[in-house]
Amino acid sequence: MTDTLDPVAFAAELIACPSVTPADAGAQEVLAAALDAQGFTVRRLVSGKPPHGPIANLVAIRGSGAPHFAFAGHTDVVPPGDGWADDAFTPVVRDGLLFGRGAVDMKGAIAAFTAATARVRDHRGMISLLITGDEEGPAVHGTRAIVDWMAANDVYPDMILVGEPTSSVQLGDTIKIGRRGSINAWIVVPGVQGHVAYPNLADNPATRLVRILDRLQRWKLDEGNAWFQPSNLEVTAIEIVNPATNVIPGTARARLNIRFNDEQRGAALEAEIRRIVTEEAPFGSVEAVISGEAFLTAPGDLSTLVASAIREFTGIEATLSTTGGTSDARFLSKLAPTVEFGLCNATMHKLDEAAAVADIRALTGIYEILLRRALT
Protein backbone atom coordinates (compact mmCIF):
# COMPACT_ATOMS: atom_id res chain seq x y z
CA MET A 1 0.00 0.00 0.00
CA THR A 2 1.05 3.60 -0.54
CA ASP A 3 -0.30 6.84 0.81
CA THR A 4 1.31 8.98 -1.87
CA LEU A 5 1.19 9.00 -5.63
CA ASP A 6 2.71 11.73 -7.78
CA PRO A 7 -0.14 12.69 -10.14
CA VAL A 8 2.16 14.19 -12.77
CA ALA A 9 4.40 11.13 -12.94
CA PHE A 10 1.34 8.87 -12.99
CA ALA A 11 -0.26 10.92 -15.77
CA ALA A 12 2.95 10.51 -17.76
CA GLU A 13 2.82 6.75 -17.19
CA LEU A 14 -0.72 6.66 -18.57
CA ILE A 15 0.16 8.89 -21.52
CA ALA A 16 2.97 6.50 -22.46
CA CYS A 17 0.30 3.89 -23.26
CA PRO A 18 -0.80 4.67 -26.87
CA SER A 19 -4.46 3.95 -26.16
CA VAL A 20 -5.94 5.37 -29.36
CA THR A 21 -9.61 4.41 -29.29
CA PRO A 22 -10.57 1.59 -29.16
CA ALA A 23 -7.14 0.17 -28.21
CA ASP A 24 -6.21 0.00 -24.53
CA ALA A 25 -2.46 -0.48 -25.00
CA GLY A 26 -1.95 -1.26 -21.32
CA ALA A 27 -3.44 1.95 -19.90
CA GLN A 28 -6.04 0.22 -17.74
CA GLU A 29 -3.47 -2.31 -16.54
CA VAL A 30 -1.36 0.59 -15.25
CA LEU A 31 -4.40 2.11 -13.58
CA ALA A 32 -5.55 -1.21 -12.11
CA ALA A 33 -2.14 -1.80 -10.50
CA ALA A 34 -2.18 1.61 -8.82
CA LEU A 35 -5.72 1.13 -7.52
CA ASP A 36 -5.05 -2.42 -6.34
CA ALA A 37 -2.16 -1.05 -4.26
CA GLN A 38 -4.66 1.31 -2.60
CA GLY A 39 -7.01 -1.46 -1.56
CA PHE A 40 -9.55 -1.16 -4.37
CA THR A 41 -11.29 -4.22 -5.71
CA VAL A 42 -10.67 -3.91 -9.44
CA ARG A 43 -12.84 -5.55 -12.06
CA ARG A 44 -11.70 -5.59 -15.67
CA LEU A 45 -14.74 -5.74 -17.94
CA VAL A 46 -14.24 -6.58 -21.61
CA SER A 47 -17.45 -5.73 -23.43
CA GLY A 48 -18.84 -6.11 -26.92
CA LYS A 49 -17.98 -7.77 -30.17
CA PRO A 50 -16.94 -6.37 -33.58
CA PRO A 51 -17.50 -4.00 -35.22
CA HIS A 52 -17.58 -1.76 -32.12
CA GLY A 53 -15.91 -4.11 -29.66
CA PRO A 54 -14.32 -5.65 -27.72
CA ILE A 55 -13.75 -2.71 -25.37
CA ALA A 56 -11.68 -2.62 -22.19
CA ASN A 57 -13.56 -1.16 -19.23
CA LEU A 58 -12.68 -1.00 -15.55
CA VAL A 59 -14.67 -0.69 -12.35
CA ALA A 60 -12.77 -0.23 -9.08
CA ILE A 61 -14.49 -0.05 -5.68
CA ARG A 62 -13.16 0.58 -2.18
CA GLY A 63 -15.29 0.56 0.95
CA SER A 64 -18.96 -0.27 1.42
CA GLY A 65 -22.29 1.30 2.20
CA ALA A 66 -23.29 4.92 1.81
CA PRO A 67 -22.43 7.48 0.72
CA HIS A 68 -20.97 6.31 -2.57
CA PHE A 69 -18.84 8.80 -4.53
CA ALA A 70 -17.92 7.77 -8.07
CA PHE A 71 -15.32 9.23 -10.38
CA ALA A 72 -15.75 8.48 -14.09
CA GLY A 73 -13.47 8.89 -17.06
CA HIS A 74 -11.88 7.33 -20.12
CA THR A 75 -8.41 6.04 -20.92
CA ASP A 76 -8.89 6.07 -24.70
CA VAL A 77 -7.63 9.04 -26.69
CA VAL A 78 -8.08 10.42 -30.20
CA PRO A 79 -5.40 9.76 -32.84
CA PRO A 80 -2.45 12.12 -32.41
CA GLY A 81 -2.15 13.35 -36.00
CA ASP A 82 1.08 14.49 -37.64
CA GLY A 83 3.21 17.44 -36.64
CA TRP A 84 3.91 17.04 -32.91
CA ALA A 85 7.07 18.67 -31.56
CA ASP A 86 7.78 15.38 -29.75
CA ASP A 87 6.32 11.90 -30.01
CA ALA A 88 2.71 12.11 -28.83
CA PHE A 89 3.10 9.08 -26.56
CA THR A 90 6.47 10.00 -25.11
CA PRO A 91 5.44 12.36 -22.29
CA VAL A 92 7.64 15.42 -21.89
CA VAL A 93 7.62 18.14 -19.23
CA ARG A 94 8.71 21.45 -20.70
CA ASP A 95 8.11 25.01 -19.48
CA GLY A 96 5.79 23.81 -16.74
CA LEU A 97 3.61 21.77 -19.11
CA LEU A 98 3.16 18.02 -19.46
CA PHE A 99 2.92 17.24 -23.18
CA GLY A 100 1.35 14.10 -24.63
CA ARG A 101 -1.86 12.83 -26.16
CA GLY A 102 -4.37 12.49 -23.34
CA ALA A 103 -2.66 14.91 -20.95
CA VAL A 104 -5.83 17.00 -20.90
CA ASP A 105 -8.45 14.60 -22.23
CA MET A 106 -8.35 12.91 -19.85
CA LYS A 107 -5.45 10.97 -18.38
CA GLY A 108 -4.41 14.00 -16.35
CA ALA A 109 -7.73 13.94 -14.48
CA ILE A 110 -7.59 10.17 -13.97
CA ALA A 111 -4.12 10.57 -12.48
CA ALA A 112 -5.34 13.40 -10.25
CA PHE A 113 -8.24 11.38 -8.93
CA THR A 114 -6.09 8.29 -8.38
CA ALA A 115 -3.61 10.42 -6.42
CA ALA A 116 -6.48 11.93 -4.40
CA THR A 117 -7.82 8.49 -3.43
CA ALA A 118 -4.31 7.59 -2.23
CA ARG A 119 -4.48 10.55 0.17
CA VAL A 120 -7.98 9.83 1.47
CA ARG A 121 -7.65 6.36 2.95
CA ASP A 122 -9.88 6.46 6.04
CA HIS A 123 -13.33 7.21 4.72
CA ARG A 124 -16.86 6.08 5.29
CA GLY A 125 -18.96 4.71 2.45
CA MET A 126 -17.57 3.85 -0.97
CA ILE A 127 -15.31 5.31 -3.62
CA SER A 128 -15.49 3.92 -7.13
CA LEU A 129 -13.76 4.60 -10.42
CA LEU A 130 -15.77 3.93 -13.58
CA ILE A 131 -13.30 3.95 -16.45
CA THR A 132 -14.01 3.15 -20.09
CA GLY A 133 -11.85 2.65 -23.15
CA ASP A 134 -14.56 3.79 -25.56
CA GLU A 135 -15.49 7.42 -25.00
CA GLU A 136 -13.76 8.89 -28.03
CA GLY A 137 -15.20 6.23 -30.33
CA PRO A 138 -18.75 5.00 -30.96
CA ALA A 139 -19.35 4.67 -27.18
CA VAL A 140 -21.45 1.56 -27.74
CA HIS A 141 -19.68 -0.88 -25.40
CA GLY A 142 -18.02 1.58 -23.03
CA THR A 143 -19.77 3.46 -20.25
CA ARG A 144 -23.09 1.93 -21.32
CA ALA A 145 -21.67 -1.49 -20.44
CA ILE A 146 -20.44 -0.16 -17.09
CA VAL A 147 -23.91 1.22 -16.34
CA ASP A 148 -25.41 -2.17 -17.21
CA TRP A 149 -22.90 -3.95 -14.93
CA MET A 150 -23.69 -1.65 -12.04
CA ALA A 151 -27.42 -2.18 -12.45
CA ALA A 152 -26.95 -5.95 -12.63
CA ASN A 153 -24.86 -5.89 -9.45
CA ASP A 154 -27.09 -3.41 -7.62
CA VAL A 155 -24.26 -0.89 -7.24
CA TYR A 156 -25.48 2.69 -7.44
CA PRO A 157 -23.45 5.83 -6.70
CA ASP A 158 -24.97 8.71 -4.78
CA MET A 159 -22.95 11.24 -6.79
CA ILE A 160 -20.73 11.05 -9.87
CA LEU A 161 -17.97 13.36 -11.07
CA VAL A 162 -16.69 12.97 -14.64
CA GLY A 163 -13.17 14.30 -15.05
CA GLU A 164 -13.67 15.86 -18.48
CA PRO A 165 -11.61 19.01 -19.18
CA THR A 166 -14.29 21.60 -18.42
CA SER A 167 -12.13 24.54 -17.37
CA SER A 168 -11.95 27.28 -19.97
CA VAL A 169 -9.49 30.05 -19.08
CA GLN A 170 -8.19 28.82 -15.74
CA LEU A 171 -8.56 25.70 -13.66
CA GLY A 172 -11.81 25.79 -11.73
CA ASP A 173 -13.71 28.37 -13.73
CA THR A 174 -16.37 25.99 -15.12
CA ILE A 175 -18.40 23.04 -13.90
CA LYS A 176 -20.65 21.25 -16.36
CA ILE A 177 -24.01 20.35 -14.85
CA GLY A 178 -25.62 19.15 -18.06
CA ARG A 179 -25.10 18.59 -21.76
CA ARG A 180 -27.16 18.92 -24.89
CA GLY A 181 -28.35 15.83 -26.71
CA SER A 182 -27.21 15.00 -30.23
CA ILE A 183 -28.85 13.36 -33.23
CA ASN A 184 -27.35 12.75 -36.67
CA ALA A 185 -29.58 12.03 -39.63
CA TRP A 186 -28.78 10.86 -43.16
CA ILE A 187 -31.38 11.69 -45.81
CA VAL A 188 -31.53 9.94 -49.20
CA VAL A 189 -33.89 11.26 -51.87
CA PRO A 190 -34.30 9.04 -54.96
CA GLY A 191 -35.30 10.50 -58.29
CA VAL A 192 -35.43 9.52 -61.93
CA GLN A 193 -32.29 10.18 -63.93
CA GLY A 194 -32.71 11.81 -67.31
CA HIS A 195 -31.50 14.33 -69.87
CA VAL A 196 -31.67 17.95 -68.70
CA ALA A 197 -33.34 18.88 -71.97
CA TYR A 198 -36.27 16.57 -71.19
CA PRO A 199 -37.16 17.27 -67.54
CA ASN A 200 -40.66 15.89 -68.12
CA LEU A 201 -39.10 12.46 -68.51
CA ALA A 202 -37.12 12.68 -65.24
CA ASP A 203 -37.60 13.55 -61.58
CA ASN A 204 -34.85 15.70 -60.13
CA PRO A 205 -34.14 14.63 -56.51
CA ALA A 206 -32.12 17.80 -55.95
CA THR A 207 -35.30 19.86 -56.13
CA ARG A 208 -36.94 17.74 -53.46
CA LEU A 209 -33.85 17.73 -51.28
CA VAL A 210 -33.57 21.51 -51.44
CA ARG A 211 -37.17 21.84 -50.27
CA ILE A 212 -36.51 19.41 -47.42
CA LEU A 213 -33.41 21.26 -46.27
CA ASP A 214 -35.16 24.61 -46.55
CA ARG A 215 -37.94 23.41 -44.26
CA LEU A 216 -35.47 21.92 -41.81
CA GLN A 217 -33.42 25.12 -41.69
CA ARG A 218 -36.55 27.19 -41.03
CA TRP A 219 -37.68 24.81 -38.27
CA LYS A 220 -37.46 26.70 -34.98
CA LEU A 221 -37.15 24.02 -32.36
CA ASP A 222 -37.38 26.11 -29.18
CA GLU A 223 -36.24 29.30 -27.46
CA GLY A 224 -33.88 27.62 -25.02
CA ASN A 225 -34.34 27.92 -21.27
CA ALA A 226 -32.61 28.99 -18.10
CA TRP A 227 -29.80 26.44 -18.45
CA PHE A 228 -29.67 25.64 -22.16
CA GLN A 229 -29.27 27.62 -25.35
CA PRO A 230 -31.84 27.06 -28.11
CA SER A 231 -31.68 23.71 -29.86
CA ASN A 232 -29.86 23.99 -33.18
CA LEU A 233 -29.94 22.12 -36.48
CA GLU A 234 -27.04 22.24 -38.93
CA VAL A 235 -26.74 20.66 -42.36
CA THR A 236 -23.32 19.03 -42.36
CA ALA A 237 -23.15 17.48 -45.86
CA ILE A 238 -24.90 17.60 -49.22
CA GLU A 239 -23.97 15.08 -51.91
CA ILE A 240 -25.07 14.67 -55.51
CA VAL A 241 -22.69 12.50 -57.49
CA ASN A 242 -23.10 13.68 -61.07
CA PRO A 243 -20.02 14.32 -63.23
CA ALA A 244 -22.11 15.15 -66.30
CA THR A 245 -23.48 18.63 -66.93
CA ASN A 246 -26.42 17.50 -69.01
CA VAL A 247 -27.85 14.79 -66.76
CA ILE A 248 -30.52 15.12 -64.09
CA PRO A 249 -29.16 13.04 -61.21
CA GLY A 250 -30.86 9.92 -59.89
CA THR A 251 -30.12 10.41 -56.19
CA ALA A 252 -29.45 13.27 -53.76
CA ARG A 253 -28.18 12.90 -50.20
CA ALA A 254 -27.73 15.10 -47.17
CA ARG A 255 -26.58 14.77 -43.56
CA LEU A 256 -27.56 16.91 -40.60
CA ASN A 257 -26.96 17.20 -36.88
CA ILE A 258 -29.19 18.59 -34.15
CA ARG A 259 -27.79 19.59 -30.76
CA PHE A 260 -30.84 19.80 -28.56
CA ASN A 261 -31.69 20.91 -25.05
CA ASP A 262 -33.77 19.17 -22.41
CA GLU A 263 -37.01 20.49 -23.89
CA GLN A 264 -36.57 18.01 -26.74
CA ARG A 265 -36.31 14.25 -27.06
CA GLY A 266 -34.35 12.48 -29.75
CA ALA A 267 -37.19 10.23 -30.88
CA ALA A 268 -39.55 13.17 -31.40
CA LEU A 269 -36.94 15.05 -33.43
CA GLU A 270 -36.33 11.98 -35.57
CA ALA A 271 -40.08 11.62 -36.17
CA GLU A 272 -40.36 15.23 -37.32
CA ILE A 273 -37.45 14.85 -39.73
CA ARG A 274 -39.11 11.76 -41.20
CA ARG A 275 -42.42 13.59 -41.55
CA ILE A 276 -40.86 16.46 -43.49
CA VAL A 277 -38.90 14.11 -45.74
CA THR A 278 -41.99 12.00 -46.47
CA GLU A 279 -44.07 15.06 -47.35
CA GLU A 280 -41.50 16.36 -49.83
CA ALA A 281 -40.13 13.03 -51.08
CA PRO A 282 -42.54 10.13 -50.49
CA PHE A 283 -39.90 7.59 -51.50
CA GLY A 284 -37.11 9.24 -49.52
CA SER A 285 -35.44 7.56 -46.56
CA VAL A 286 -33.97 8.69 -43.25
CA GLU A 287 -31.39 6.96 -41.12
CA ALA A 288 -31.01 8.55 -37.70
CA VAL A 289 -28.64 7.91 -34.79
CA ILE A 290 -29.34 9.48 -31.39
CA SER A 291 -25.96 9.79 -29.68
CA GLY A 292 -27.53 10.81 -26.40
CA GLU A 293 -30.35 12.73 -24.79
CA ALA A 294 -29.92 16.08 -23.11
CA PHE A 295 -29.57 15.95 -19.34
CA LEU A 296 -29.39 18.41 -16.49
CA THR A 297 -28.25 17.89 -12.91
CA ALA A 298 -30.04 20.83 -11.36
CA PRO A 299 -27.88 22.99 -9.07
CA GLY A 300 -27.86 21.36 -5.67
CA ASP A 301 -25.73 19.38 -3.25
CA LEU A 302 -23.26 17.97 -5.79
CA SER A 303 -22.53 21.16 -7.72
CA THR A 304 -22.30 23.05 -4.42
CA LEU A 305 -19.81 20.48 -3.11
CA VAL A 306 -17.61 20.77 -6.22
CA ALA A 307 -17.83 24.56 -6.32
CA SER A 308 -16.90 24.89 -2.64
CA ALA A 309 -13.86 22.62 -3.08
CA ILE A 310 -12.71 24.72 -6.04
CA ARG A 311 -13.23 27.90 -4.03
CA GLU A 312 -11.28 26.56 -1.05
CA PHE A 313 -8.29 25.47 -3.13
CA THR A 314 -8.16 28.22 -5.76
CA GLY A 315 -10.34 31.10 -4.60
CA ILE A 316 -12.22 30.91 -7.89
CA GLU A 317 -16.01 31.06 -8.13
CA ALA A 318 -16.93 28.43 -10.69
CA THR A 319 -19.60 29.00 -13.32
CA LEU A 320 -22.21 26.29 -13.87
CA SER A 321 -22.60 25.50 -17.56
CA THR A 322 -24.22 23.13 -20.07
CA THR A 323 -22.22 24.21 -23.13
CA GLY A 324 -20.00 22.06 -25.32
CA GLY A 325 -20.37 18.69 -26.95
CA THR A 326 -21.55 15.39 -25.55
CA SER A 327 -19.76 13.25 -22.98
CA ASP A 328 -20.33 9.98 -21.18
CA ALA A 329 -22.10 11.94 -18.45
CA ARG A 330 -25.17 11.45 -20.65
CA PHE A 331 -25.17 7.77 -19.68
CA LEU A 332 -24.06 8.15 -16.07
CA SER A 333 -26.67 10.78 -15.25
CA LYS A 334 -29.25 7.97 -15.37
CA LEU A 335 -27.62 6.45 -12.27
CA ALA A 336 -27.16 9.47 -10.01
CA PRO A 337 -26.60 13.24 -9.99
CA THR A 338 -23.64 13.83 -12.32
CA VAL A 339 -21.37 16.79 -12.95
CA GLU A 340 -18.15 17.24 -14.89
CA PHE A 341 -15.04 19.04 -13.74
CA GLY A 342 -11.44 18.82 -14.86
CA LEU A 343 -8.45 20.49 -16.49
CA CYS A 344 -8.32 23.39 -18.93
CA ASN A 345 -9.56 22.31 -22.35
CA ALA A 346 -7.65 24.63 -24.68
CA THR A 347 -5.44 21.90 -26.20
CA MET A 348 -7.67 18.84 -26.10
CA HIS A 349 -7.65 16.91 -29.41
CA LYS A 350 -4.98 19.31 -30.74
CA LEU A 351 -1.36 18.81 -31.74
CA ASP A 352 1.00 19.15 -28.76
CA GLU A 353 -1.80 18.60 -26.24
CA ALA A 354 -0.52 19.71 -22.85
CA ALA A 355 -1.66 20.21 -19.27
CA ALA A 356 0.00 22.55 -16.80
CA VAL A 357 1.90 20.59 -14.15
CA ALA A 358 0.59 23.00 -11.53
CA ASP A 359 -2.99 22.38 -12.70
CA ILE A 360 -2.65 18.61 -12.40
CA ARG A 361 -1.39 19.02 -8.85
CA ALA A 362 -4.10 21.56 -8.03
CA LEU A 363 -6.79 19.30 -9.49
CA THR A 364 -5.55 16.53 -7.22
CA GLY A 365 -5.95 18.87 -4.26
CA ILE A 366 -9.48 19.83 -5.28
CA TYR A 367 -10.47 16.18 -5.73
CA GLU A 368 -9.01 15.41 -2.30
CA ILE A 369 -11.15 18.10 -0.70
CA LEU A 370 -14.20 16.73 -2.50
CA LEU A 371 -13.60 13.23 -1.18
CA ARG A 372 -12.97 14.38 2.38
CA ARG A 373 -16.14 16.48 2.42
CA ALA A 374 -18.24 13.77 0.81
CA LEU A 375 -16.95 10.77 2.75
CA THR A 376 -15.24 11.78 6.02
Side-chain angles (χ1 to χ4, degrees), residues 243-262:
T245 60
N246 59 350
V247 174
I248 293 172
T251 306
R253 295 177 171 85
R255 184 183 67 220
L256 60 90
N257 175 270
I258 302 176
R259 294 300 169 103
F260 57 94
N261 59 39
D262 60 351

Side-chain angles (χ1 to χ4, degrees), residues 24-369:
D24 176 62
Q28 290 188 13
E29 183 177 350
V30 169
L31 178 59
L35 294 171
D36 182 71
Q38 294 183 30
F40 281 86
T41 298
V42 180
R43 295 171 175 83
R44 304 288 299 277
L45 310 175
V46 178
S47 305
K49 297 178 180 180
H52 300 308
I55 296 296
N57 298 306
L58 179 153
V59 175
I61 298 174
R62 187 175 70 194
S64 61
H68 177 180
F69 187 97
F71 173 83
H74 60 92
T75 49
D76 63 321
V77 299
V78 296
D82 298 325
W84 283 65
D86 301 286
D87 179 75
F89 298 108
T90 302
V92 175
V93 175
R94 184 172 59 250
D95 299 326
L97 300 173
L98 172 63
F99 289 86
R101 176 57 86 218
V104 170
D105 190 15
M106 58 171 286
K107 292 178 177 179
I110 291 174
F113 199 88
T114 306
T117 59
R119 298 178 185 180
V120 183
R121 301 303 301 272
D122 297 322
H123 60 81
R124 62 192 176 100
M126 299 169 60
I127 300 175
S128 64
L129 273 73
L130 315 176
I131 308 298
T132 181
D134 182 32
E135 196 271 352
E136 300 291 7
V140 174
H141 301 298
T143 297
R144 294 182 183 185
I146 293 174
V147 169
D148 290 343
W149 181 90
M150 297 185 77
N153 288 273
D154 198 28
V155 178
Y156 293 100
D158 296 300
M159 59 197 93
I160 303 172
L161 186 145
V162 185
E164 287 289 341
T166 61
S167 300
S168 180
V169 177
Q170 57 183 333
L171 179 69
D173 61 10
T174 306
I175 301 167
K176 303 285 188 181
I177 62 169
R179 294 277 189 162
R180 292 176 295 172
S182 177
I183 177 173
N184 287 293
W186 290 261
I187 299 170
V188 179
V189 178
V192 176
Q193 182 176 313
H195 197 294
V196 295
Y198 301 94
N200 57 305
L201 300 178
D203 180 10
N204 195 334
T207 304
R208 296 179 183 274
L209 181 62
V210 168
R211 289 201 299 264
I212 291 168
L213 297 181
D214 177 61
R215 289 182 61 178
L216 290 172
Q217 289 282 262
R218 290 188 288 111
W219 177 19
K220 189 171 185 178
L221 282 77
D222 53 65
E223 299 285 351
N225 55 40
W227 286 109
F228 285 95
Q229 63 197 84
S231 299
N232 183 62
L233 182 153
E234 294 292 341
V235 176
T236 56
I238 300 173
E239 179 185 25
I240 300 175
V241 179
N242 183 17
T245 60
N246 59 350
V247 174
I248 293 172
T251 306
R253 295 177 171 85
R255 184 183 67 220
L256 60 90
N257 175 270
I258 302 176
R259 294 300 169 103
F260 57 94
N261 59 39
D262 60 351
E263 297 187 10
Q264 309 290 341
R265 299 293 294 175
L269 296 173
E270 178 182 347
E272 180 64 9
I273 294 168
R274 291 185 183 279
R275 185 185 70 81
I276 291 172
V277 170
T278 299
E279 289 181 356
E280 298 295 344
F283 298 105
S285 64
V286 176
E287 178 186 352
V289 175
I290 302 168
S291 301
E293 300 287 348
F295 80 93
L296 176 71
T297 296
D301 292 344
L302 180 54
S303 56
T304 298
L305 176 68
V306 178
S308 64
I310 293 170
R311 185 186 310 113
E312 178 176 331
F313 199 93
T314 68
I316 294 171
E317 291 291 340
T319 297
L320 304 182
S321 172
T322 63
T323 59
T326 59
S327 78
D328 277 4
R330 68 191 188 272
F331 307 125
L332 295 163
S333 62
K334 298 175 183 177
L335 294 176
T338 302
V339 302
E340 301 169 64
F341 169 63
L343 294 164
C344 293
N345 55 28
T347 62
M348 64 177 180
H349 293 200
K350 292 185 177 182
L351 298 181
D352 296 329
E353 178 181 351
V357 168
D359 282 355
I360 296 174
R361 298 194 186 284
L363 186 62
T364 303
I366 294 169
Y367 287 163
E368 179 185 357
I369 293 172

Side-chain angles (χ1 to χ4, degrees), residues 4-36:
T4 60
L5 180 70
D6 183 345
V8 177
F10 190 58
E13 194 174 352
L14 292 172
I15 291 168
C17 301
S19 52
V20 176
T21 192
D24 176 62
Q28 290 188 13
E29 183 177 350
V30 169
L31 178 59
L35 294 171
D36 182 71

